[in-house]
Amino acid sequence: MLELKFNMQQGGRMELFRAIPSNQIAKARDGLRRHASARVPSNVPYVVDNLWEWLRPLSMPSRRHAIYASPTPESALANASAPLNAGEHYIACRVIVDPGHIRIAQLPVRDAREHPDIRAVARWVSRNGDAFTALGFTEKQQVGLLFMPGLKRDELEGLLLMSPLVEQLCSCVRETSTFWSAASTPSEVSEGELFFELIDQFVTYRLEPV
């Protein structure tokens, strides 16, 4: 395994850090794998998560299988959210993994819930509220899938072919979304949310306390 570092355009190098409960250190040192099943991020609306996954370039990490990290130990501790049992505390750790076995992205905001795409989608849905209300029962059932958790890319593709309203929303988001274009260049001087995905189920990463 190699210590995870990335060459930046300015010539610097970047490391990733995570903060975990103290009782998880031994397991994290042995090696951790990607999440076996898809997880739906809880900090953004389902419709937005579905649209982001639909727009995701294949070279970028899926948020549904992502491991979240920070560019410094201090920010990792500040962002720690895993439940603590009595007597436990958070420990900042350096991520150790082969850089060739992951995909990584960094947002321009500290948390995805602050991304402007969310407000843009909400405004579009609000402006077209009457159009949603006017749908027949069957169409409402179909369109409702867009607002359910974990919609897959091919499922959304099929949905936009069936629903002109969904197709309009997808066209608007495709033209205006900045989520993936802004996340393509991680920076060690940014405090933006970092996340990475192991490329397959056999790759592991380790955490070493700093």
Side-chain angles (χ1 to χ4, degrees), residues 10-161:
Q10 296 81 2
R13 296 175 73 82
M14 182 180 189
E15 297 178 281
L16 297 185
F17 299 88
R18 285 176 53 79
I20 59 174
S22 51
N23 72 333
Q24 298 180 13
I25 290 296
K27 180 180 179 182
R29 276 176 163 157
D30 290 339
L32 302 170
R33 297 184 182 276
R34 66 176 286 175
H35 301 287
S37 56
R39 298 170 301 119
V40 179
S42 60
N43 58 343
V44 301
Y46 294 148
V47 60
V48 175
D49 177 68
N50 290 334
L51 289 165
W52 281 345
E53 178 63 14
W54 172 66
L55 289 172
R56 178 177 61 87
L58 295 180
S59 60
M60 300 298 281
S62 170
R63 286 170 50 80
R64 297 175 180 179
H65 293 281
I67 299 105
Y68 291 85
S70 299
T72 66
E74 294 76 16
S75 58
L77 289 169
N79 294 329
S81 60
L84 291 175
N85 296 323
E88 293 177 357
H89 61 282
Y90 292 117
I91 296 179
C93 301
R94 180 178 287 107
V95 176
I96 310 295
V97 67
D98 187 331
H101 289 166
I102 70 168
R103 304 182 184 97
I104 184 171
Q106 185 177 29
L107 303 183
V109 291
R110 285 193 175 191
D111 192 292
R113 67 168 60 104
E114 302 170 7
H115 198 280
D117 276 9
I118 295 177
R119 295 189 297 274
V121 171
R123 287 195 297 267
W124 193 96
V125 172
S126 178
R127 288 197 306 268
N128 291 273
D130 290 343
F132 282 101
T133 302
L135 295 175
F137 179 74
T138 299
E139 290 176 293
K140 284 179 178 176
Q141 284 187 313
Q142 293 174 340
V143 172
L145 296 174
L146 184 62
F147 299 86
M148 298 295 289
L151 193 67
K152 297 178 181 178
R153 299 169 70 151
D154 58 341
E155 293 173 334
L156 198 152
E157 284 284 347
L159 187 59
L160 70 87
L161 291 175

